Amino acid sequence: MCSVLEQIKEKHNLEKVKKKLVRNAAFGNFFGVMALFQSGRLVKDQKALLESIQLLQQLAHHQAHLRDLPRKALIDILSEVPEAVFEEVLFDILRGDLASAFASPENLHLLLVGIQKFPSVLKPKNVKKLFGSPTVVNEQNIPRLVELLQSAAKSEKKDKKLPGLVFDLLQVSLKEGAFELFWKEGVENGVLKEKSGPVSYMCYRLLGSALPLLSLEQLQMVLKGKVMQHYGEHVVKTQLPDRFKFAPEMEDYVDEFLNSCDDPERQMAVIIGFSTLTNQGYPVFSSSSKVVRHLQPVVLQKYIDWLKDMFLRPDLDCCLDFSSNRQKQNQGKVNTAQHKITRLRKWLIHRLANIMEHAVKKEESLVMDISRFCFFHAFFETKKKASQIHETHVLPSEPLDEQTRAVTENYFFGLLQTLNTLTVWGDTAKAAALREKHIHGVTAEGKLWIFLLVEYADKLLSSEHVKAVKPFTKGQRDVWERTLQSVKNLQKKENKSNGAKVVAFQQLLLLMAVHLFKDQSETVDVLSDLLNCTERAFSKEPKKKKPDNTEPGWVEVMVEILLSLLAQPSLLIRRISKSVFVRICPNLTKRSLQLILDVVDPYQEQNEESAVVVMEESEKKNKSDQDMGEEGSEDSSDEGDSEEENDSGDEDKNEEVDEDFRSQLMNVLQAGNAVGGDESDEELDDEAMMALDKNISALFAEQQKRIQAKKDEKDRIRKEKILRRDFKIKVLDLVEAFLVKQPENPLVFDVIEPLLRLIEQCMSSDSDKQEVDFLQKTASIFRNSLCRAKQYCKRVDALQDDLHAFVERLVEKAYKHTDSSVALYYFSASLYLLKVLKGNVSDKSSTPPTPLPEKGSSTIPQAAQLLSTGCLDVEKVAGIYRQALTQFLTKRNSALTCSMFHDLFKRFPIMCKPLVDTLVKSITAGARQHQQAQACLLLQKVLQLHELKLFTTEEEWEELIRESISQVTESLKTVGKCLVKTDKEKTAKILELLSFLLKTVKEQKLHVKLTELEKVLVALNQPEGIGNSARLDSLYWNVMRWLGYSKPKKEKAAHKPAQEAENLKRKKKGFLPETKKRKNRKKGLQENGVAPAAGEDGEPAASEEQSLGTKTPKQKKGLKNQSRGVRENGVAVAGGGEEAVNGGDAAADKKKKKKKKSRKRKGDAGSEAEQAPAAKKAKGRVSQETQQQQGKANQQKQGKVKKKRKVKKAAVQEE
């Protein structure tokens, strides 16, 4: 490590480098140190660690280039250093930096890390010696800490994260017991006073990061402090879309805290603390936050009770309330207390209704309690307390106003949607059965949640202790009673075969019944139609119809009703409509499906849509104004005013001059003698001027009205277009639901072309966001719900001819199209139809269109499925795709792509054999080099499919390989020096294909002549061949390897034996003691029978075979499973086995006597001898010394050698 560090410092010497290269040298040193640190070995080498720290301290002076990177690296290294190393090595050298901790944020961070990492070294008394005080956080240091924190916040503003210095200072303050001082004096009264974004965001992040570390008392102090209030003001001020919003990040902090905290009291304190941070009564924390999913059941129940109690008896004193400057100016215009209560109740009811969506552990009693609470206070009020009705036990301290009830109504219907999608709870067998059927919106007993609420509503209507906010008339009450009776009748039929239809009508009837409480006049008519439809749908008589009967069936009526409900502004109605549509999907008819497809058809404009969307826009605008609230617009009013002024100014500039208005103005001026000839020099009197001003003002007022009317008309048309598109997006949900729920329905084929026309029309239309979203949704439905559906229609025997014609029409449109992206969808649709045709079994008996190989009986189990053609006419379909493939490979500009055909071959291997001949011919017959390369790529993909062999005999397979090689050979003859990208692409694809072909020929031992190919390939190796591309060179030699050629080696390898011999000579220093050397030498003499003087001076003492036989029996045992040899002068020589055996017998007795003592040593030597190269054992003395050195190194690792340790270790390192 030290040598590497020295090389780094020598190469990037900061003292000798030129001035203009100082920056490069500084970064070179810095990156070198970081590389050593990241390797993980720097901390283990104390000397290298010390020098690295000194180098980083030197680099810290180059702030102009490195800024604070060396200090940060120093902190990172310090956090990984063991405490003993820090005390022995680093403490003295870092003493100066630690003593100047308040000089810079980096030095302070270094001290804080040291205090936490090495508490026994940096004790309070040692800290006091460094800078005069035993603690970091105290009253004397607060001013300087504030400055350093502000500096750290500004330095980290681009990273958008809490600086490590700040978090470490928080932890140290908690450790020192000075958190209250740090928070109040350092943060709230210090750092927070600087009105800048980075400092404020640092305080917010510090607040969120501190939550898991604080006790209950500290949490209550922080959550009622200035930082919380400042955060609330920030949330209110950043409602505009172009402002940075910190609220999502704070929600993540709260979510992480609640997830990791096990203390119910601390959980309750945090969730209540954020729920009571209010802006004029309205909490700034999101009412739809998902953090409640981490609340423990006890805390969740307490939180729900707190929300209900605050709704009925609002307590503004417990809230940390604030007002913006604009709100303070307008306080005199409204009733402040009532205004705050209304805003608080709005948030509370939304939070209460939204809990069920995110709470993990829910019980039926809890869900029903929340639902009844919301329903009661939306539509009823208490006359007097009733024991049977729990919601009447607590009367509101302040009566609910009309606005609060309207908000409660909206959130209640949102709650209904949540109930409709709830999974079944409970451990009973019935609940488990319902979950297996994926039934939602019912209790464990199988009752619909909405039915329980309707029963509760009927109970309230019959009670004398409560009254409805909007009482029913006699006709409305009759419809209500009729609806309940119809639902009860349907429940009796629920267990029969038409259960899905029964449940669908129940849901829609119950939903419309609940809507009677909200919009009575319109809902009565819809509910009456639904009741009539229900009677027709479940009546047993209307089975027989007259031939001329054109009255629509109940399914068509249901679809029309659902389409009308989709145009409503209520999100709940639209979701329920989709849910109901899913239930009646099995009963859809072609006419009812066509009603849906007509809405999304781009070539049909619905005259009814305009009226529908205008109504939707007006109601949506009212709802958006209501939901927006005052908190989101008050603080941004100034910006909004300025923007409106700018917009109006731009419109005035762009307004064209109206010639009619010009002529009218001239007439008015001439009538008042304001404009005349040369003789009209007299001035007008006051009366004439007043009359002229009046006429001019009237004219301008009329003109302004006309201009505004034109603007309103343009705006109305624009909004209608947007809403019409939005309505089509909603109708697409029905199409998607049908495709997902009824993939085996033959009506699916009627959906393909409308979706394709829709995609094609969207591709050529405007590119605004809504249009793009519409296109993406349509494409996603077509791709995922249709083409990739695992289930498909299995009854197409009667539709075979139509589907084959459909395939031909789709493929023809695909290759005749000019846009490749649109052609892809047409091609994918054709593949979907292929899947359907192939997966069906034809009733007509027909011969297989492709010959079966003789070995077909022994194929894999999936072979029967692959060989089966179903209803697919392979010959006809192959002709269709052959025409498309020929067009793709012979025309210059084709909308088809290689991936389309690859998908065809991969999904339908049965199409490979009919089309593979076209691919082979196109290797040389392609229109351009790009098409030829694509043909090679496709052919390689086809040949790699193992399913292809199921459709070909061995002779056909061999002929296919032979013809492919012939075509490739002809194509290679035309290859010149590859300079252009297309040339390189073609050559690369040819070589990749050829490599596979040759591999197949060699492995399968096919009888294919390669003489001509070999000549062509050898010619390509010339300088004027394939050029100097590294990729082509690699592919070329991969091909040549199959022909027995090898790539020439570079000359660098010739110097390697000399270097190895030199390394062996160096290994003579510092080995085993002389006693062991003497024994090993005697043993070697006994084994080889050679005089000892023969090897004293390092010369060879025996032949190569004898030198291989000098191994001990233990070594021989370690090598018995490996064939060893020495390659010298290019000749491989096998080791002498007999000599080794004889030599081993001579030392057998000694081995037995010292078996226990030397087993481990000899085992280590034997294992090391296995890994040593055979070339190093050519000389007896060198082999012995090498074994001794390896055994010594192993003993040294085990701690057995005590003498001459430094000398031997140095020798090993040198070698």
Side-chain angles (χ1 to χ4, degrees), residues 450-451 454-455 458 461 472 475-491 502 505-517 523-532 534-535:
I450 191 172
F451 177 72
V454 169
E455 283 187 332
D458 190 56
L461 288 174
F472 284 178
Q476 294 167 355
R477 187 61 185 265
D478 293 340
V479 173
W480 171 266
E481 298 292 343
R482 185 184 169 193
T483 303
L484 292 182
Q485 186 60 41
S486 179
V487 169
K488 292 178 180 178
N489 295 335
L490 289 175
Q491 288 177 347
V502 170
F505 276 89
Q506 278 190 64
Q507 284 187 318
L508 201 56
L509 287 173
L510 292 171
L511 175 63
M512 291 296 103
V514 174
H515 265 271
L516 273 175
F517 292 95
T523 308
V524 166
D525 298 334
V526 176
L527 198 51
S528 299
D529 294 338
L530 278 176
L531 290 171
N532 295 332
T534 304
E535 294 175 359

Side-chain angles (χ1 to χ4, degrees), residues 624-760:
S624 63
D625 292 343
Q626 182 181 7
D627 292 343
M628 181 66 185
E630 301 174 13
E631 69 281 357
S633 58
E634 291 170 347
D635 292 286
S636 58
S637 58
D638 296 336
E639 292 88 346
D641 295 341
S642 62
E643 289 176 2
E644 290 176 1
E645 292 174 1
N646 294 335
D647 293 342
S648 62
D650 294 338
E651 291 176 357
D652 292 340
K653 290 180 182 178
N654 296 331
E655 190 67 35
E656 297 180 358
V657 179
D658 190 351
E659 294 297 334
D660 294 338
F661 173 69
R662 185 193 294 272
S663 61
Q664 292 177 7
L665 179 61
M666 291 299 295
N667 293 335
V668 170
L669 294 176
Q670 290 176 359
N673 294 328
V675 178
D678 296 337
E679 68 279 0
S680 58
D681 295 335
E682 297 181 1
E683 295 182 359
L684 298 176
D685 56 6
D686 293 341
E687 294 182 0
M689 285 293 294
M690 293 294 292
L692 181 62
D693 290 343
K694 186 176 180 180
N695 293 334
I696 292 176
S697 62
L699 180 62
F700 272 96
E702 185 179 354
Q703 176 66 10
Q704 190 64 30
K705 290 181 180 179
R706 286 197 294 267
I707 294 174
Q708 188 62 38
K710 289 181 180 179
K711 290 181 181 179
D712 294 342
E713 181 65 19
K714 289 181 180 180
D715 190 52
R716 187 185 67 82
I717 294 174
R718 180 182 62 83
K719 290 180 178 179
E720 283 185 5
K721 181 181 178 182
I722 293 174
L723 291 171
R724 189 178 295 113
R725 179 67 68 204
D726 187 52
F727 178 63
K728 289 185 177 182
I729 291 176
K730 297 168 187 173
V731 175
L732 275 179
D733 291 336
L734 301 185
V735 177
E736 182 180 15
F738 172 70
L739 293 176
V740 172
K741 296 297 181 181
Q742 291 292 307
E744 300 183 3
N745 197 322
L747 293 176
V748 170
F749 303 130
D750 296 336
V751 182
I752 296 177
E753 283 191 300
L755 288 180
L756 289 173
R757 286 198 301 267
L758 197 57
I759 292 173
E760 187 174 1

Side-chain angles (χ1 to χ4, degrees), residues 651-919:
E651 291 176 357
D652 292 340
K653 290 180 182 178
N654 296 331
E655 190 67 35
E656 297 180 358
V657 179
D658 190 351
E659 294 297 334
D660 294 338
F661 173 69
R662 185 193 294 272
S663 61
Q664 292 177 7
L665 179 61
M666 291 299 295
N667 293 335
V668 170
L669 294 176
Q670 290 176 359
N673 294 328
V675 178
D678 296 337
E679 68 279 0
S680 58
D681 295 335
E682 297 181 1
E683 295 182 359
L684 298 176
D685 56 6
D686 293 341
E687 294 182 0
M689 285 293 294
M690 293 294 292
L692 181 62
D693 290 343
K694 186 176 180 180
N695 293 334
I696 292 176
S697 62
L699 180 62
F700 272 96
E702 185 179 354
Q703 176 66 10
Q704 190 64 30
K705 290 181 180 179
R706 286 197 294 267
I707 294 174
Q708 188 62 38
K710 289 181 180 179
K711 290 181 181 179
D712 294 342
E713 181 65 19
K714 289 181 180 180
D715 190 52
R716 187 185 67 82
I717 294 174
R718 180 182 62 83
K719 290 180 178 179
E720 283 185 5
K721 181 181 178 182
I722 293 174
L723 291 171
R724 189 178 295 113
R725 179 67 68 204
D726 187 52
F727 178 63
K728 289 185 177 182
I729 291 176
K730 297 168 187 173
V731 175
L732 275 179
D733 291 336
L734 301 185
V735 177
E736 182 180 15
F738 172 70
L739 293 176
V740 172
K741 296 297 181 181
Q742 291 292 307
E744 300 183 3
N745 197 322
L747 293 176
V748 170
F749 303 130
D750 296 336
V751 182
I752 296 177
E753 283 191 300
L755 288 180
L756 289 173
R757 286 198 301 267
L758 197 57
I759 292 173
E760 187 174 1
Q761 190 265 344
C762 291
M763 289 281 193
S764 60
S765 59
D766 299 335
S767 59
D768 58 324
K769 185 180 183 304
Q770 192 188 34
E771 194 74 22
V772 171
D773 294 341
F774 184 52
L775 172 61
Q776 290 178 348
K777 186 176 183 65
T778 307
S780 176
I781 293 173
F782 180 82
R783 181 174 56 252
N784 300 322
S785 303
L786 180 67
C787 295
R788 295 180 182 175
K790 295 181 179 180
Q791 304 294 329
Y792 50 86
C793 181
K794 300 296 178 61
R795 306 183 306 274
V796 299
D797 189 61
L799 304 174
Q800 290 185 50
D801 297 336
D802 295 338
L803 292 182
H804 280 89
F806 198 3
V807 171
E808 183 176 5
R809 188 164 65 251
L810 291 173
V811 175
E812 184 179 357
K813 286 185 178 181
Y815 69 74
K816 286 186 177 181
H817 213 283
T818 56
D819 190 350
S820 179
S821 57
V822 178
L824 173 62
Y825 290 99
Y826 279 98
F827 200 87
S828 300
S830 70
L831 296 185
Y832 168 75
L833 293 179
L834 284 190
K835 179 175 69 172
V836 173
L837 287 169
K838 189 175 182 300
N840 279 267
V841 179
S842 176
D843 295 338
K844 303 175 183 178
S845 60
S846 59
T847 58
T850 56
L852 298 179
E854 296 178 359
K855 58 182 179 180
S857 59
S858 62
T859 54
I860 56 177
Q862 291 83 359
Q865 298 179 1
L866 293 172
L867 297 173
S868 174
T869 59
C871 296
L872 183 65
D873 188 347
V874 178
E875 184 177 352
K876 182 176 182 180
V877 173
I880 297 172
Y881 283 102
R882 185 180 296 109
Q883 184 178 1
L885 182 60
T886 304
Q887 191 263 3
F888 165 61
L889 295 174
T890 56
K891 288 197 174 182
R892 296 174 63 89
N893 296 322
S894 175
L896 303 178
T897 61
C898 182
S899 60
M900 297 180 188
F901 291 99
H902 182 214
D903 196 18
L904 169 67
F905 295 134
K906 186 177 180 181
R907 294 173 57 185
F908 305 100
I910 197 173
M911 303 301 298
C912 292
K913 183 180 177 181
L915 300 181
V916 71
D917 294 337
T918 305
L919 293 175

Side-chain angles (χ1 to χ4, degrees), residues 305-316 318 341 344-345 348 373 393-398 400:
D305 294 339
W306 179 84
L307 291 172
K308 291 163 62 177
D309 187 65
M310 283 288 286
F311 182 84
L312 296 173
R313 294 177 294 186
D315 184 10
L316 299 178
C318 71
I341 290 175
L344 178 61
R345 280 175 168 169
L348 291 169
F373 182 86
H393 292 176
V394 180
L395 298 177
S397 59
E398 292 287 338
L400 275 66

Side-chain angles (χ1 to χ4, degrees), residues 208 211 249-260 270-271 274 285 289 291 294:
L211 294 177
E249 192 172 341
M250 181 62 78
E251 186 172 339
D252 291 339
Y253 281 118
V254 177
D255 186 83
E256 183 179 356
F257 166 77
L258 294 177
N259 187 27
S260 59
V270 170
I271 195 67
F274 279 91
F285 198 62
S289 173
V291 298
H294 300 304

Side-chain angles (χ1 to χ4, degrees), residues 950-1127:
L950 299 176
F951 303 100
T952 58
T953 61
E954 293 181 358
E955 292 77 11
E956 290 175 340
W957 173 254
E958 185 172 334
E959 180 61 28
L960 176 60
I961 298 297
R962 183 181 295 108
E963 182 63 24
S964 300
I965 293 178
S966 175
Q967 289 290 327
V968 169
T969 304
E970 293 298 324
S971 182
L972 284 175
K973 291 180 180 179
T974 63
V975 172
K977 193 169 184 179
C978 300
L979 298 176
V980 188
K981 183 179 179 181
T982 54
D983 295 335
K984 294 181 180 180
E985 178 193 8
K986 174 188 171 183
T987 307
K989 299 303 180 185
I990 289 176
L991 292 176
E992 289 175 356
L993 172 61
L994 188 55
S995 179
F996 173 76
L997 291 173
L998 293 178
K999 178 183 177 182
T1000 304
V1001 170
K1002 296 296 182 181
E1003 292 181 350
Q1004 300 181 10
K1005 298 180 181 180
L1006 302 179
H1007 301 288
V1008 179
K1009 293 183 179 181
L1010 305 175
T1011 307
E1012 186 178 359
L1013 174 64
E1014 186 174 354
K1015 294 179 181 179
V1016 175
L1017 287 173
V1018 170
L1020 285 178
N1021 196 25
Q1022 304 301 322
E1024 63 274 6
I1026 59 176
N1028 57 356
S1029 172
R1031 178 168 176 258
L1032 293 181
D1033 184 68
S1034 175
L1035 293 173
Y1036 173 79
W1037 287 110
N1038 285 341
V1039 172
M1040 296 300 290
R1041 181 170 58 87
W1042 294 106
L1043 296 176
Y1045 293 85
S1046 60
K1047 189 175 182 180
K1049 295 182 180 180
K1050 297 182 180 179
E1051 297 181 357
K1052 268 200 247 180
H1055 302 286
K1056 190 172 182 181
Q1059 294 175 359
E1060 290 181 354
E1062 184 179 353
N1063 291 335
L1064 288 175
K1065 290 182 180 180
R1066 292 180 182 176
K1067 293 183 179 179
K1068 289 185 178 182
K1069 298 179 181 179
F1071 289 101
L1072 293 174
E1074 291 298 326
T1075 55
K1076 294 187 178 181
K1077 285 186 179 180
R1078 205 171 297 119
K1079 291 179 181 179
N1080 287 335
R1081 185 164 63 252
K1082 289 179 180 179
K1083 184 166 60 176
L1085 293 174
Q1086 293 174 1
E1087 292 173 353
N1088 296 321
V1090 182
E1096 284 294 324
D1097 55 352
E1099 293 296 325
S1103 64
E1104 293 176 1
E1105 294 181 356
Q1106 290 172 340
S1107 67
L1108 288 175
T1110 58
K1111 300 178 178 62
T1112 64
K1114 187 70 176 178
Q1115 294 166 345
K1116 178 185 135 185
K1117 182 180 178 181
L1119 297 173
K1120 68 179 181 179
N1121 292 327
Q1122 299 184 10
S1123 61
R1124 310 293 285 177
V1126 180
R1127 179 176 294 273

